[in-house]
Amino acid sequence: MSVALIILGGILVGGTISLVKQGASRFSIVLTGVLALLALAGGILWMIPGEGS
């Protein structure tokens, strides 16, 4: 699952860069950037061993 989240985060980072280059609205850039950061953070946190598994 962590690999899937990191891949998704990478795709969203690329989308954010593309939106900036295209001059999209600030809302769409920020929203895509926040989703990218959440996906990357989730992927990294998922790799940390915990008590549940």
Side-chain angles (χ1 to χ4, degrees), residues 28-47:
S28 62
I29 293 170
V30 170
L31 179 64
T32 310
V34 167
L35 290 175
L37 290 176
L38 286 174
L40 289 172
I44 292 169
L45 290 175
W46 201 290
M47 289 190 290

Side-chain angles (χ1 to χ4, degrees), residues 9-26 28-30 32-33 36:
I11 291 170
L12 287 171
V13 167
T16 303
I17 293 170
S18 177
L19 287 172
V20 170
K21 288 184 179 181
Q22 292 176 13
S25 67
R26 185 163 307 266
S28 62
I29 293 170
V30 170
T32 310

Side-chain angles (χ1 to χ4, degrees), residues 4-15:
L5 285 172
I6 291 173
I7 290 171
L8 177 63
I11 291 170
L12 287 171
V13 167

